[in-house]
Amino acid sequence: MAEKITINDLLRFRFPGNLQYNPEGSVLAFQVKRSDEKKNTYRNDVWIAEGEEVRQLTSSMDATVVTWLDNEQLLINRSTEDAQPGMTELFVINIHGGEAKPFAKLPLMLGALKEIGDG
């Protein structure tokens, strides 16, 4: 007889998404969505896959990958509970360590960001 799936089983699921390679194609950044049962929502953390190594880059930031700035720096969107509605807070984070540094606050909800060319 098959075991029943419980709500706790579903709460442990993780959902990867938004996969983006750095410009030289050697590092993959992606986000992993997980449930936050206490707040009845989902949270994202950014992960990195480089060669055989896969590691978590952010923790408890509710961060999503926006784009690569170069081969070692990611632009991420960070959501916080004290964030102003209708604002987007962007941060730069180096994939080799260190804190995420503020990059820009935009008075809009950012859906995507794409480079359109030089200048």
Side-chain angles (χ1 to χ4, degrees):
M1 187 161 130
E3 290 186 41
K4 291 183 181 181
I5 295 176
T6 67
I7 189 70
N8 289 331
D9 295 327
L10 295 174
L11 292 172
R12 286 192 295 267
F13 285 170
R14 304 289 188 258
F15 305 95
N18 194 12
L19 288 74
Q20 296 185 34
Y21 278 100
N22 67 347
E24 70 181 18
S26 60
V27 182
L28 177 66
F30 59 99
Q31 57 209 43
V32 176
K33 186 179 292 277
R34 60 184 164 70
S35 66
D36 183 340
E37 182 181 16
K38 290 180 184 174
K39 299 194 183 211
N40 194 30
T41 190
Y42 286 94
R43 302 281 182 211
N44 290 292
D45 286 308
V46 176
W47 288 66
I48 297 292
E50 188 171 12
E52 298 290 319
E53 181 185 9
V54 177
R55 67 185 185 282
Q56 189 171 349
L57 189 62
T58 66
S59 176
S60 68
M61 285 181 67
D62 197 19
T64 55
V65 177
V66 175
T67 191
W68 286 90
L69 294 178
D70 57 33
N71 286 313
E72 297 183 351
Q73 295 186 100
L74 274 172
L75 189 61
I76 60 174
N77 181 359
R78 177 181 174 203
S79 298
T80 60
E81 291 180 8
D82 56 301
Q84 297 173 338
M87 295 289 289
T88 297
E89 293 185 67
L90 298 175
F91 292 79
V92 175
I93 190 165
N94 189 294
I95 64 168
H96 299 295
E99 294 289 322
K101 296 178 179 131
F103 181 78
K105 267 189 177 180
L106 305 174
L108 52 87
M109 295 302 295
L110 183 67
L113 185 68
K114 295 194 185 248
E115 184 176 340
I116 57 173
D118 294 338

